[in-house]
Amino acid sequence: MGYSRMNICVIGAGFVGLVSSVFFAEMGHNVICIDKDETKINKINHRNPPFFEKDLEKKLRSTLKKNFEASTNLEYAVKNSKYIFICVGTPSQDDGSIDLSYLENVSDALGAILQRLEKPRTIIIKSTVVPGTTRKVFINRIENKYNLKNGKDYFVSMNPEFLREGSAVSDMYNPDRIIVGADEDTTQENVLALYSKISEIKKIRTSIETAEISKYCSNLFYATLISFSNEIASICQNIENTEIEKVFRSLYLDRRLLINEKEKSAENIGATSYIWPGIGFGGSCFPKDLKALINFSENNDVKVPILKSVELTNNLQSELLISKFIEKFKPKVLGILGLSFKPDTDDIRESKSIEIINVVKRQNLKLLVFDPLVKNIPNLNENYFQNSALDVIQQCDALVIATNWSEFKKVEIFEAINKKKCPLLDCRLSMIDYKNDLLGEYFGPGIPF
Ligand SMILES: NC(=O)c1ccc[n+]([C@@H]2O[C@H](COP(=O)([O-])OP(=O)(O)OC[C@H]3O[C@@H](n4cnc5c(N)ncnc54)[C@H](O)[C@@H]3O)[C@@H](O)[C@H]2O)c1
């Protein structure tokens, strides 16, 4: 199919919505990104992304006021667009299920607007939703409340997003796959055509429900690898003389594991970046998606003991490590490097660093923290924040490296830690190869203790 410029509306200017918007604009489409949060929209219109993602600001500058605009006016955007992406949040509720109120509100707003329009629009749900949601919450709702027929008055597609925070822009421009679920072949083709510059072999046409579950399958596969690794690490922690890094590096050499030849023996790329001990997974997706699928399965009388254990292991890991560390070294001033849930992002949602901070606060220790991007945390005294990693190291008597930022692996950091000879809890084992050169005690997941 040849290239044609389309008019696209993206609802939700969060990680998924804003990154998708600049991507579609750079692909040559006309894009209007909508958010109900006026402050966010104003920031975007001043070329100022509301969150950090590498290259996002640059992309915003190159598209804004050309073929990309941000607005709070949904009606204007829908009237002027043929394709409408829904990228609103689906956060966890207390019982683990996803909060569908944002999606419901958007469905209602769209239903009311679509009723007034003559030509059908194609609505594409990108938000992560459990199987059946698109049909029950979107299609049925629009039909019952607004008397609009799917496949006639409008078309629906489910197009899950696989980008990872920290590399969202490059993931969006170079995706592993584009999954498009729809009832009609034509809708599948029309939506896939919006991704015309992405290679055909990456495109998968599916039912709506397949698209919904595929997203969970991917995230929970990686979550499972992480908890599995952490469980092996906990076992090793209690075996004298085990060398945790060698346990995992020998696993990487197993040809059954390696997905392609190029990855052979490579560390921290592909699946192997998830098969490595740590303090568990955080962020806005893995914990939420895990809870949601457990809740969904139990409501459908399906037993999911593996998924439940993945969650349990993940919930235990950080507290287990930090408690042992504090008990053994009894620090008076504890330094923590890294607050975001992973490197290269300023997102602290469900960050394991916050769990560590909560344990430390209960113990009445003095705390010093530094993160390259995170400069405040709700309920954490601003006096705890230091200007640099070196400032933290110089003042603490025990150090925790909680997030794997590359700047914490620099020689000067290593030298400063050595000068202080302070004990180190290396939550992601990022310094494991230098542990014998460290003058202070080294501790981390899987290190006999
Ligand atoms: N963050 C990720 O890495 C990621 C990756 C893949 C999929 N997802 C999924 O994508 C969805 C969005 O995630 P996110 O991280 O971008 O969320 P986010 O919280 O960063 O952004 C959601 C945005 O939607 C806006 N919004 C809510 N209701 C609205 C309405 N009625 N009208 C206009 N705007 C509205 C909010 O103001 C917010 O700016 C979620 O379902 C998430 O699970 C997220």
Side-chain angles (χ1 to χ4, degrees), residues 112-235:
I113 298 169
L114 292 177
Q115 266 185 335
R116 299 194 286 273
L117 299 178
E118 275 172 22
K119 288 198 177 145
R121 304 294 198 265
T122 299
I123 319 289
I124 305 139
I125 298 185
K126 240 188 197 308
S127 301
T128 304
V129 289
V130 296
T133 307
T134 303
R135 212 170 286 285
K136 278 189 219 127
V137 177
F138 192 80
I139 299 179
N140 292 356
R141 195 176 177 96
I142 298 244
E143 179 154 349
N144 295 339
K145 284 182 87 169
Y146 301 93
N147 199 23
L148 295 166
K149 276 247 167 295
N150 174 31
K152 178 176 157 277
D153 302 317
Y154 71 99
F155 304 97
V156 172
S157 167
M158 207 290 140
N159 171 218
E161 181 49 59
F162 294 91
L163 63 75
R164 296 160 299 168
E165 282 179 31
S167 54
V169 173
S170 79
D171 286 349
M172 180 63 79
Y173 281 68
N174 186 20
D176 295 318
R177 70 298 221 185
I178 303 288
I179 299 182
V180 171
D183 287 345
E184 316 82 23
D185 294 351
T186 46
T187 306
Q188 290 175 346
E189 295 312 321
N190 288 341
V191 175
L192 283 171
L194 301 175
Y195 294 93
S196 57
K197 292 185 186 160
I198 305 290
S199 152
E200 195 55 32
I201 52 165
K202 294 183 171 183
K203 295 180 177 172
I204 304 180
R205 294 143 177 93
T206 69
S207 69
I208 288 174
E209 287 73 12
T210 304
E212 289 171 324
I213 189 71
S214 298
K215 168 68 189 171
Y216 285 93
C217 174
S218 163
N219 272 5
L220 303 193
F221 172 65
Y222 291 110
T224 305
L225 295 184
I226 293 171
S227 278
F228 165 77
S229 307
N230 288 339
E231 214 164 285
I232 296 289
S234 298
I235 298 168

Side-chain angles (χ1 to χ4, degrees), residues 212-323:
E212 289 171 324
I213 189 71
S214 298
K215 168 68 189 171
Y216 285 93
C217 174
S218 163
N219 272 5
L220 303 193
F221 172 65
Y222 291 110
T224 305
L225 295 184
I226 293 171
S227 278
F228 165 77
S229 307
N230 288 339
E231 214 164 285
I232 296 289
S234 298
I235 298 168
C236 292
Q237 196 125 39
N238 290 298
I239 311 172
E240 236 176 278
N241 298 325
T242 41
E243 297 156 291
I244 187 71
E245 72 283 20
K246 292 186 186 167
V247 174
F248 281 87
R249 283 175 184 153
S250 13
L251 183 63
Y252 298 165
L253 292 170
D254 190 320
R255 274 173 298 186
R256 288 166 301 180
L257 176 76
L258 296 166
I259 289 159
N260 80 50
E261 279 292 298
K262 264 196 278 168
E263 289 183 12
K264 211 167 181 172
S265 81
E267 231 173 277
N268 291 326
I269 59 164
T272 54
S273 65
Y274 297 86
I275 309 174
W276 185 250
I279 42 167
F281 51 83
S284 68
C285 290
F286 281 18
K288 161 178 92 82
D289 293 350
L290 181 57
K291 284 193 192 92
L293 205 65
I294 293 172
N295 173 278
F296 171 81
S297 311
E298 289 185 335
N299 286 341
N300 287 288
D301 284 331
V302 179
K303 292 199 169 38
V304 285
I306 292 182
L307 295 183
K308 287 170 93 169
S309 305
V310 169
E311 188 181 36
L312 181 66
T313 300
N314 195 54
N315 291 345
L316 295 174
Q317 187 74 352
S318 65
E319 177 146 6
L320 208 81
L321 282 169
I322 187 70
S323 303

Side-chain angles (χ1 to χ4, degrees), residues 11-18 34-37 40 51 74 86-91 101-103 105-106 109 126-129 160-165 168 215 219 284-285 288-289 341 347 349:
I11 307 175
F15 287 86
V16 170
L18 187 55
I34 295 294
D35 206 286
K36 60 178 185 180
D37 181 340
K40 235 177 209 185
F51 50 86
L74 182 66
I86 302 183
C87 305
V88 296
T90 47
S101 60
Y102 302 97
L103 185 62
N105 289 342
V106 171
K126 240 188 197 308
S127 301
T128 304
V129 289
E161 181 49 59
F162 294 91
L163 63 75
R164 296 160 299 168
E165 282 179 31
K215 168 68 189 171
N219 272 5
S284 68
C285 290
K288 161 178 92 82
D289 293 350
F341 84 95
D347 198 345
R349 287 180 283 183

Side-chain angles (χ1 to χ4, degrees), residues 359-377:
V359 173
V360 175
K361 274 163 105 182
R362 287 201 299 271
Q363 309 244 358
N364 242 346
L365 297 177
K366 188 170 175 204
L367 190 61
L368 299 171
V369 301
F370 172 77
D371 184 280
L373 287 177
V374 180
K375 300 300 173 198
N376 62 66
I377 288 181

